[in-house]
């Protein structure tokens, strides 16, 4: 579960260190602690294990979670026969420290559940996803119990739900969709209870309908069961398929801004013509470039989303109306800073409740506040563009 603190990414103990660090070592020591945390965010790994029966759609599921289709570069190999006999790692296309691991199905190897975990080196994975397109078998119930005993989270996914519903239609049978989904869910839960899982939750999904059935709730559940840093990484890895995902990303990126502003305010050394302070231009360029990638506005992300939504990529690109998608050069950022300098910023904006010492370090005209203001404006502008793209892609109101 997410750690409890009044500041994102920092434990209560780390927050206490800020005041002590400032009192004993000044701003330089505080900056060192913040830099260490930003490095931790950038290098954090997330390893997600996916297992299931042959033909259950686990490779397609891995591709869908990464916003890919089977013919895309780097896609997991999908098929109706078991092609995986060793754990196979698939990195995320824009967050290379997020890995999905395709594990062999339990039934394909002559191991008991506990031996399977040993063979698959379970300790490297943050959690397990167990995929089935029919009834969840006793093998996977046993595997889930072993995972639980070892202190790892696991999630049951019942895939190809759209095929189940389509079968009724092809046979000319009229059904109540919600009632039928309820029956499938009840049957899956009942099977798991009989196999010894006391309170199982089963997510009903289609790998090709990412905004339908339980897929949105499934992603939210995964995020909510991760600690702050890994939750941050996981949310940024999600493809922009809903407005809710974009808003969650905005909130996550907003958490970084005060840290980046502190670094810029403390180590800024590039004089800006017309302004009375120096600012670290490199921090601003990197942040804006990262923001637009995380928000799915780079060319590769727009192309993947267009394929997922079945829309021409030009339709999506037409919704992007911001100069922030052009080259983010030193001169471009300087012009942004000069434009922002006329905005009145009060000293109160520098008071950060979770780190009181920061408010006493920087004044109203500091590069800290200007950087914070500029990055907030850039993030909001990019978020609005990402929202328009998703509305065009999926017809979301």
């Amino acid at each position: 579960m997410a750690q409890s603190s009044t500041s994102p990414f920092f434990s209560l103990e780390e927050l206490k260190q800020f005041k002590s660090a400032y009192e004993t070592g000044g701003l330089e020591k505080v900056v060192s602690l913040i830099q260490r945390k930003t490095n931790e965010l950038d290098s954090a790994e997330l390893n997600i294990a996916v297992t299931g029966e042959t033909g259950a759609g686990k490779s397609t599921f891995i591709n869908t979670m990464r916003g890919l289709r089977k013919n895309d570069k780097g896609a997991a190999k999908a098929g109706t026969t078991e092609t995986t006999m060793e754990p196979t790692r698939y990195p995320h296309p824009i967050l290379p420290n997020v890995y999905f691991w395709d594990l062999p199905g339990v039934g394909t190897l002559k191991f008991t559940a506990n031996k399977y975990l040993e063979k698959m080196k379970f300790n490297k994975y943050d959690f397990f996803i167990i995929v089935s397109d029919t009834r969840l078998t006793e093998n996977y119930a046993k595997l889930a119990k072993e995972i639980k005993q070892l202190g790892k989270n696991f999630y049951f996914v019942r895939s190809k739900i759209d095929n189940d519903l389509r079968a009724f239609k092809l046979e000319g049978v009229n059904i109540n969709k919600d009632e039928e989904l309820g029956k499938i869910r009840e049957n899956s839960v009942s099977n798991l209870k009989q196999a010894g899982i006391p309170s199982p939750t089963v997510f009903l999904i289609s790998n090709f309908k990412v905004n339908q059935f339980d897929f949105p709730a499934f992603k939210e559940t995964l995020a909510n069961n991760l600690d702050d840093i890994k939750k941050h990484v996981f949310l940024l890895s999600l493809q922009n398929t809903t407005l809710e995902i974009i808003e969650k990303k905005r909130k996550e990126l907003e958490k970084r801004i005060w840290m980046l502003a502190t670094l810029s305010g403390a180590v800024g050394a590039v004089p800006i013509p017309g302004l009375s302070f120096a600012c670290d231009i490199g921090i601003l360029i990197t942040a804006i470039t990262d923001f637009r990638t995380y928000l799915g506005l780079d060319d590769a992300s727009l192309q993947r989303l267009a394929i997922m939504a079945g829309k021409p990529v030009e339709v999506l690109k037409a919704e992007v109306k911001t100069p922030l998608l052009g080259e983010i050069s030193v001169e471009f950022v300087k012009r942004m800073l000069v434009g922002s300098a006329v905005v009145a910023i009060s000293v109160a904006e520098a008071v950060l409740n979770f780190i009181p010492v920061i408010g006493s370090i920087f004044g109203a005209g500091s590069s800290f506040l200007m950087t914070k203001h500029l990055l907030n404006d850039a993030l909001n502008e990019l978020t609005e563009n990402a929202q328009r793209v998703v509305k065009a892609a999926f017809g979301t109101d």
Side-chain angles (χ1 to χ4, degrees), residues 18-45:
F18 276 98
K19 185 175 182 181
S20 175
Y22 186 63
E23 290 172 348
T24 60
L27 180 57
E28 183 178 347
K29 197 165 183 180
V30 172
V31 167
S32 176
L33 293 174
I34 293 176
Q35 184 65 68
R36 186 172 67 190
K37 184 60 67 172
T38 58
N39 291 341
E40 187 179 343
L41 283 170
D42 291 335
S43 62
E45 274 196 13

Side-chain angles (χ1 to χ4, degrees), residues 151-274:
K152 299 281 184 176
N153 285 333
F154 60 89
Y155 304 90
F156 290 111
V157 167
R158 173 73 158 74
S159 63
K160 302 185 181 180
I161 289 300
D162 51 335
N163 288 350
D164 289 271
L165 299 180
R166 190 182 302 115
F168 287 104
K169 185 176 182 180
L170 292 174
E171 292 175 2
V173 178
N174 292 322
I175 61 167
N176 180 299
K177 177 181 173 182
D178 291 336
E179 286 184 4
E180 194 58 40
L181 290 173
K183 290 178 184 177
I184 295 172
R185 190 189 312 279
E186 185 179 343
N187 180 259
S188 297
V189 168
S190 176
N191 289 337
L192 291 169
K193 283 182 176 178
Q194 290 177 16
I197 305 298
S199 300
T201 299
V202 178
F203 295 93
L204 311 181
I205 72 164
S206 163
N207 288 323
F208 301 105
K209 297 182 178 180
V210 293
N211 289 342
Q212 296 184 32
F213 309 112
D214 292 339
F215 225 139
F218 172 67
K219 292 175 181 176
E220 185 170 353
T221 299
L222 296 183
N224 289 340
N225 286 325
L226 293 167
D227 65 33
D228 284 346
I229 290 179
K230 294 202 173 186
K231 178 179 180 178
H232 176 81
V233 172
F234 177 73
L235 287 172
L236 294 184
S237 78
L238 295 178
Q239 191 176 35
N240 288 354
T241 54
T242 66
L243 295 178
E244 288 79 7
I245 288 174
I246 294 173
E247 177 59 18
K248 288 179 184 296
K249 287 186 177 184
R250 185 192 67 77
K251 289 180 178 178
E252 289 300 312
L253 293 171
E254 201 173 50
K255 295 175 184 178
R256 286 197 181 202
I257 287 177
W258 75 265
M259 292 190 289
L260 296 174
T262 303
L263 296 177
S264 178
V267 303
V270 180
I272 311 300

Side-chain angles (χ1 to χ4, degrees), residues 4 7 14 25 35-36 75 99 132 134 137 146 169 192 198 211 214 248-249 284 300 326 347 360 371 373:
S4 174
S7 170
E14 286 174 319
Q35 184 65 68
R36 186 172 67 190
Y99 301 106
S132 175
T134 53
T137 65
E146 292 289 340
K169 185 176 182 180
L192 291 169
N211 289 342
D214 292 339
K248 288 179 184 296
K249 287 186 177 184
L284 294 170
V347 177
S360 66
T371 301
H373 176 76

Side-chain angles (χ1 to χ4, degrees), residues 3 8 46 73 82 103 110-111 200 254 258 270 282 299:
Q3 66 190 38
L46 184 62
K73 182 180 179 180
E82 182 64 55
L103 307 188
K110 304 301 181 183
F111 299 128
E254 201 173 50
W258 75 265
V270 180
D299 284 344

